Amino acid sequence: QVQLVESGGAWVQPGGSLKLSCLSSAYIRIFTNMGWFRETRGTQQREWVASIRPDGEILFPESNSLKGRFTISKEDAKNTFYLQMTALRPEDTGVYYCYTDFGDRSSAQWGQGTQVTVSS
């Protein structure tokens, strides 16, 4: 059982930045995908934000408007991957979850979630 621990969630004013971290109990290069989902007030389900693969390939949803503001990265030596968020908006408020999988959704492991609040 892989343990994933998120950190970095906080309150920030609109236009601000945050960097979320996800620490894995396992060596992250064993995973097929790593990334982030979120649950915001405007969505009825967990929304895919971005993913990264062991070779560094980055994936965003095709319709994603976050690509210009959010970036994903990783540090293999620390078994950690990150979500850098900039130009944050109130609609980005929500709980952000990191995940890993082995190529199919049924293998996904999830972190406990970290709260991001964007307000003035």
Side-chain angles (χ1 to χ4, degrees):
Q1 185 83 5
V2 175
Q3 302 297 321
L4 300 174
V5 179
E6 297 107 336
S7 61
W11 171 82
V12 64
Q13 292 187 336
S17 299
L18 281 176
K19 187 173 185 177
L20 306 182
S21 300
C22 183
L23 172 63
S24 168
S25 63
Y27 186 43
I28 61 174
R29 288 191 68 85
I30 70 172
F31 302 118
T32 302
N33 299 293
M34 298 162 274
W36 298 87
F37 279 69
R38 69 181 186 177
E39 292 179 358
T40 64
R41 285 175 293 185
T43 60
Q44 298 297 316
Q45 60 186 4
R46 208 165 280 190
E47 174 191 12
W48 176 35
V49 175
S51 298
I52 188 168
R53 291 179 169 164
D55 63 359
E57 180 184 9
I58 293 173
L59 303 170
F60 283 91
E62 285 188 10
S63 60
N64 199 299
S65 61
L66 304 175
K67 189 175 181 179
R69 299 188 293 122
F70 291 13
T71 58
I72 186 170
S73 61
K74 64 184 178 73
E75 283 191 80
D76 293 349
K78 294 184 178 180
N79 290 323
T80 301
F81 54 98
Y82 308 95
L83 183 68
Q84 176 71 56
M85 306 183 291
T86 63
L88 283 162
R89 303 167 182 170
E91 55 263 38
D92 295 317
T93 295
V95 180
Y96 285 69
Y97 298 88
C98 67
Y99 83 99
T100 60
D101 71 36
F102 294 105
D104 64 277
R105 190 62 57 85
S106 65
S107 68
Q109 299 289 323
W110 297 90
Q112 80 286 356
T114 187
Q115 176 70 43
V116 171
T117 302
V118 185
S119 72
S120 55

